[in-house]
Amino acid sequence: MARVAFTKDLFLWCMSIIYLFAFSSLYVQIPGLYGDNGLMPARLVMDKEAESLKDLLDEPSLLKLTPKLGLDTSTAMDLLCLAGMLISFLCMVSYRARDFLSFTILWVLYLSLYQVGQTFLWFQWDILLLEAGFLTLLVAPLSIPFFGVRSSAPHDYVTLWLVRWLLFRLMFASGVVKLTSQCPTWWGLSALSVHFESQCIPTPLAWYWHHFPEWFLRLGVVGTYVIEIGFPFLFFSPLRSLRVISFYAQVVLQILIILTGNYNFFNLLTITLCVPLLDDEVFFGAAKRSGRRQGLGWKLLSFFSSVLVPGLVLGWVAYYTQKLFNLQLKSDFTISAKIAFSEKQYLEWLEHVMPWTIRLGAASLALEVLLALVRSFTESRGIIKKNIAVIQSLFFGALAVAMFGISLVDHSVVERKTFFSLPPQLHELHKRTEPYSLTSSYGLFRMMTGVGGRPEVVVEGSYEKDKGWKEYSFLYKPGNLATRPPVVAPHQPRLDWQMWFAALSNYQNNPWFVTLIYRLLNNQPEVLELMADNPFPDKAPNYVRATLYHYHYTANDPKKKGYSAVDWWTRKKQAEYVPPMSKDQTTLKDFLKHYRILEDAVKQKTESTLAWGIKQIREQIGQPEGFTFVMSLFGSGLLINLFNVIFF
């Protein structure tokens, strides 16, 4: 039987890095986002400490306990981020640090921050990190002080299976919702003709991919459906070769997304979730097989499992892909594609297949638990170790069954009949665990935005209401037409991301945007640190306004309209987003009072030595540019890992 000791530790190492990215990226933005003078002061949602255990369990966050340490909320957030950065860095560089205790602390820290994160921390990758983080603490070994027991155990296969199930739910739902949303670009296979231009923060390569031939981009949409809806079923294959194929399919998709879009740590986290598709045989198989006797029977079995079956499966996938999307090779060697099924047929298929995904998951989990019990007897030496292994396998098996049951509520959200057919007990259990974000529903790029042009909100300030307007530049989002799209992942600039969402709606639905205007009218340094520059360094503007534009990439052909050898973008004014506002304006004050922004900060004791130390660290670090800060920490950890490999 193939082992998973290396696979397990590789997964834990990758999760350490993801946590490091998440905590360090958030840390540099706390003053501007959550400080008392930030866009959404955290004190407004965490203005009282936990008075009982029930208060803490109802809304689990360590921030409810930090007032006892003499910390205000934003300083406490600094403390939690610093602790998360330190522990995740240690886990990255030290094999011994990657244990149950470390990953439990990391999960609790991020959950605590999530509780006060509000709009700026409610992204799908944040809830995915919480769910993956909880599974990680189940995967991580329990180190015993002075003994250092860290060997792999039979139940590892069960806990790693939970990660595979999460990956299945993530990818399958992401593919399914693209069609259940009834979005015309997904049904018309034209989504990628819009996506590279309309995504939140594109990379420079996105400009080039946007100008690929239309037929090629349509083929890319077909490939996305196949990888997200079809290949995930191979995650549960008993044949390693099929799991490896599905692994590479997912990784290639994620790498392509990384190359063309800045989605912070999300795609790296998805790749990390793919690691349990492998086992140690994949990494060390060649060395192990070199000593085996290559008999005829073994060769036939190897050919069957590694060549014949994968070939048949891939052929079957290719056949149905051609049939469902009517792929045709044209005389000019391009490939035409068109969806060959109706919405009604698709919904009927989904209604039929959703119960089978649950049956497949249940059967696969049952097999893993059974095999774990078998391994407990065959791989453990001594009656005591065998009994311990059996107890562990039964315990983690029962826990996995409970997690699987809870997750079915979120998994079945994409199909109503399956959702309502689940036992009421599962819905009740899901409701009870909801505050802890143990499971969540997913569905990426449900609707393709920016079909008629990429909406962007441009913010300007002036000393006079009718002239002299100067534009504010953001660090990463499109603004200046000549500015090249950046590479910023794995850092997530949360203000830039919310500016993208704000452009899809109005400022009334984004109250933080009004707070942004108020902070700019006061030249608030913490908020200005989240932006590229301040056009009013000496004196704050008297007025700030916002205008909605539609952006398009410039053409790549000098003969076409919109071509520019200098600019990356063209833009056209659409409408007034926010009229000119002054800080003494009554409507602005009333709006801010309604959202308690103008309230005085709750007086909390901050004279403690701990508070002083945390603020000293903040003064030394400040609010550095996020990408540089995140990659500096990661690079340092990578160098230490390399040093350990070479010398130890």
Side-chain angles (χ1 to χ4, degrees), residues 454 456-458 471-474 476-483 551 569 571:
R454 173 198 181 91
E456 281 289 350
V457 175
V458 174
E471 185 175 325
Y472 285 91
S473 296
F474 288 76
Y476 312 107
K477 86 175 190 70
N480 189 313
L481 303 180
T483 301
Y551 277 59
W569 301 94
R571 73 182 185 186

Side-chain angles (χ1 to χ4, degrees), residues 198-230:
S198 66
Q199 62 182 317
C200 181
I201 305 178
T203 68
L205 281 179
W207 186 93
Y208 297 95
W209 280 67
H210 177 75
H211 292 104
F212 278 165
E214 183 182 356
W215 70 268
F216 184 80
L217 296 178
R218 292 172 68 86
L219 207 59
V221 178
V222 173
T224 301
Y225 285 139
V226 173
I227 292 175
E228 291 187 344
I229 300 178

Side-chain angles (χ1 to χ4, degrees), residues 587-612:
T587 54
L588 176 60
K589 287 186 175 182
D590 291 341
F591 193 97
L592 296 172
K593 286 179 181 178
H594 176 74
Y595 287 98
R596 302 169 58 198
I597 298 298
L598 296 183
E599 286 186 7
D600 293 331
V602 178
K603 299 300 181 181
Q604 297 174 309
K605 294 181 179 180
T606 57
E607 299 84 8
S608 67
T609 303
L610 179 60
W612 178 85

